[in-house]
Amino acid sequence: MSQTDWTKSLDRRGLMRRSGLALAGLAFAPFAGCEARSTAIRRGDASTEPLAIPQLRMGQVEDGVRVFRLPISPGQKEFALGVSSPTIGIEAPYLGPTLEMRRGERVRFEVDNELAEGATVHWHGFELPATADGGPHQLIQPGERWSPSFEVRQRASLYWYHSHMHRRTGPQVYAGLAAAIYVRDDEEDRLGLPSDYGVDDIPLIVQDRVIDGSGRLIYPIGMHAQMMGVRGDEIFVNGTPNAVFEAKTGQLRLRILNGSNARFYSFSLEGGEPMQLIASDGGLLDRSHSVRSIALAPGERAQVIVDLSEGYPLRLIASSPDMGMMGRRSGGMMGGGMMARRNDQGESGQPFRVLDIRPSGSTRAQSLPSQLAALAPLDPSQAVRTRRFTLDMGMMGSGMSINAAAMDMDVINERIPVGQWEIWEIANASMMAHPFHIHNVQFRVIDRDGRPPPPLETGFKDTVIVNPREQVRLLLRFEEHTDPDWPYMYHCHILEHEDAGMMGQFVVVKG
Ligand code: C2O
Ligand code: CU
Ligand code: CU
């Protein structure tokens, strides 16, 4: 398809028209139609909400293909006792099931859009054909089904799926269109890590939400929130506020996903206990690292093992600096800088409570193997070219851009030859940190302003924090799936920045 055909095909499907309509409704509006399902969230005693564990779905194997049926539908959820708010969920009022699949197998999804608006579903972290990616070009109209299929090439890890609707990703993810994916493989199985889902292997989708005085979920988009991203001052884990998990084992594997629209967190245990960091976005690190805090920007994941063998309760907390000014230069926070000030959402400066963990059974912990995975040594000299990307926001967030251009559905920003190593230099010209995400690849971090990356960035990543005035160098290669017509995205994973245009498109072409 030529560029012109490509534009036409978009028009044919009415994408331009629909996204224009959707924009008019940017304020978080109730979702019309369809009968609503409801969950009751009990507030009250602030520490007694059992952590919701999303249903685990393994799909159904049909002719050797693992098939998942995913209805996306409007829901109702009580974020505060007795007050329902409209939501979006997948087989649930809010969020959706964890999908489990194995590396090497073929999967297919039957995604039914039962909403009154268009939606997309993107498989974050996966290498796949561009037409299966679920980005803004794979629009699913209301009442339509989308059935992408691909081979799971990814290493075992925690991935996720979420809306990538053009200019509506922020409100749709916020309303609940997101969930976890577990990829498993033989390499990881051999290590005998905790992997009993919901028992000693726990997904934690961490999201902040704004609940107004009447108890309703609101998406407070406005000039300020567009610049800062939408941030709430209440934390929900898998949709649960004040979550408590009763552990029955002597150690737990926590798979943490920062599923927030804009907020950065630094997670730690309240008593300063160490956690064993074992994996980043794209799977196991070469070895475990004993850490006391883990910084995650929106879109990033980490896996840790926490030890409960002493038999006393632990509390996972998260501090969240203003403006996303989170530094990894020294492994911790950066000072606020000139724009640092009190958060607009009324945050008190106290860390958020994320999860209380109560041991109630075995106090036996196994020791971790010293070597986790064999990662190829990082060799930037393999790269045949360097591409540079500069992230900027313009005055007061009025000019969200990458390389001075805002996202344009009709423009392919980069054409990338398949199979060649490249260095991507990501520079941040703005005053705020941005998590830079690239579709269809797991990359390695070479350095930050010339300095080696911290433990979480020693393995495979698909999203990386770029601090103000910093330059991060990535090493990557697109291994297959050429398609001159259908693009993948790279973008800031602060969803309001993405929606406002801090995104670009690339195609992978024959070399
Ligand atoms: Cu998690 Cu392009 O997105
Ligand atoms: Cu993605
Ligand atoms: Cu950003």
Side-chain angles (χ1 to χ4, degrees), residues 122 124 160 162 164 437 439 491 493:
H122 165 60
H124 179 127
W160 62 308
H162 62 77
H164 218 298
H437 170 51
H439 287 207
H491 59 91
H493 220 289

Side-chain angles (χ1 to χ4, degrees), residues 361-380:
S362 157
T363 52
R364 267 197 29 233
Q366 307 144 244
S367 57
L368 277 174
S370 54
Q371 163 113 29
L372 296 173
L375 301 185
L378 193 63
D379 182 9

Side-chain angles (χ1 to χ4, degrees), residues 34 116 140 145 155 165 225 268 291 313 327-328 370 429 434 477 486 498:
C34 304
I140 319 168
R145 169 174 289 182
R155 301 172 70 227
M165 181 72 185
S268 58
V291 298
R328 282 196 178 146
S370 54
H434 304 279
R477 177 172 71 169
W486 293 98
E498 173 190 333

Side-chain angles (χ1 to χ4, degrees), residues 433-435 492 494 497 502:
H434 304 279
C492 175
I494 293 177
H497 291 182
M502 197 183 284

Side-chain angles (χ1 to χ4, degrees), residues 314-326:
L314 296 175
R315 173 171 288 177
L316 185 67
I317 57 171
S319 58
S320 182
D322 282 340
M323 304 298 293
M325 293 287 227
M326 178 163 302

